[in-house]
């Protein structure tokens, strides 16, 4: 009999949370900046995207996904690119400290 624990997970099981996302059906351009977007325009767009995230029933799943794959672009789980980078830095520091101490 085959060892089923080594079989890959069904993709749908890993991504089902997306079916319940508040951003589903929203123009993805709201969550990702264009190459030349700067300043107030970018801040406004990010605020609008984060407002959608703030009422999302799967915010935690989305955020965990973005952090686990180190998503480099866009608003994910209510966090922007720099916010995710900072959280990842903090996690790495905490892991290093745990190994030292």
């Amino acid at each position: 009999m085959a060892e089923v624990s080594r079989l890959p997970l069904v993709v749908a099981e890993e991504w089902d949370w997306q079916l319940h996302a508040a951003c589903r059906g929203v123009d993805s351009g709201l969550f990702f900046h264009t190459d030349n977007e700067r300043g107030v325009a970018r801040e406004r767009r990010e605020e609008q995207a984060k407002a959608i995230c703030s009422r999302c029933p799967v915010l935690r799943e989305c955020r965990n996904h973005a952090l686990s794959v180190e998503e480099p672009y866009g608003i994910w789980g209510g966090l922007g690119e720099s916010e995710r980078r900072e959280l990842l830095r903090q996690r790495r520091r905490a892991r290093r400290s745990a190994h030292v101490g």
Side-chain angles (χ1 to χ4, degrees), residues 52-72:
I52 292 170
C53 294
S54 72
R55 65 177 192 271
C56 185
V58 294
L59 181 137
R60 183 170 285 125
E61 292 89 340
C62 182
R63 182 176 293 178
N64 288 340
H65 162 75
L67 292 169
S68 70
V69 300
E70 297 188 19
E71 187 66 54

Side-chain angles (χ1 to χ4, degrees), residues 27-47 49 71-76 79-82 84-85:
D27 178 9
S28 63
L30 184 61
F31 296 87
F32 297 92
H33 66 83
T34 59
D35 289 338
N36 61 355
E37 184 185 49
R38 303 277 186 275
V40 175
R42 185 169 177 163
E43 289 171 12
R44 274 195 213 122
R45 181 193 48 75
E46 287 185 352
E47 285 174 11
E71 187 66 54
Y73 304 109
I75 304 295
W76 289 83
L79 298 175
E81 298 159 10
S82 61
R84 285 193 309 279
R85 279 193 301 271

Side-chain angles (χ1 to χ4, degrees), residues 67 79 82-91:
L67 292 169
L79 298 175
S82 61
E83 294 164 315
R84 285 193 309 279
R85 279 193 301 271
E86 181 57 30
L87 272 176
L88 290 168
R89 262 188 230 111
Q90 290 172 4
R91 286 181 177 184

